[in-house]
Amino acid sequence: MFYLPNNKVLLGISVILALAFLAFGGMKFASPQQLLDNFAAWGYPSGFHYLVGLAEVAGAIGLFIRPLARYAALGLGLLMVGAFMTHVLHPPLSAGVPSFLLGAFSFVAASMHFKAGGAQDSAA
């Protein structure tokens, strides 16, 4: 079930995304006070950071499960659209740069997975 993409660019992007999302998602489970304060200031309910962290960690793992990889990348990209919009609505906008970049790379990975189409599914 675990796989590494044959395309070296996609593999590199996937590894970088997985490491970043495992780190950021894990940080949400550690619940540092500044993170809790940020989520509260942004208007999110108590405990919402756990849901976001779970989505990030699950997406990072999903990048390396063949039938889920394309959807994991797409889901991470959509999650980062939400994160970026949070930073757009709650300045400083510069805090949204990581979510913008992670979202862009997630959409690139999703596009590469979808472009591969049935080829990756038939190799399972």
Side-chain angles (χ1 to χ4, degrees):
M1 178 104 54
F2 179 80
Y3 94 108
L4 297 175
N6 291 331
N7 182 314
K8 291 182 188 207
V9 172
L10 180 55
L11 176 60
I13 291 171
S14 296
V15 168
I16 291 167
L17 287 173
L19 291 173
F21 282 112
L22 286 172
F24 288 126
M27 181 180 64
K28 288 174 180 70
F29 286 106
S31 305
Q33 190 60 47
Q34 182 181 357
L35 180 111
L36 297 175
D37 293 343
N38 286 343
F39 270 76
W42 297 330
Y44 292 116
S46 176
F48 186 70
H49 63 287
Y50 290 124
L51 181 63
V52 174
L54 179 63
E56 290 175 345
V57 170
I61 294 167
L63 290 171
F64 297 102
I65 300 174
R66 187 179 300 276
L68 301 179
R70 63 179 75 173
Y71 303 109
L74 183 61
L76 289 170
L78 293 172
L79 186 66
M80 289 300 98
V81 168
F84 181 71
M85 290 309 300
T86 295
H87 291 293
V88 167
L89 296 173
H90 302 277
L93 183 58
S94 61
V97 171
S99 55
F100 179 83
L101 293 175
L102 287 171
F105 281 115
S106 295
F107 285 127
V108 167
S111 174
M112 292 176 78
H113 278 295
F114 278 104
K115 195 178 238 185
Q120 69 169 292
D121 292 332
S122 63

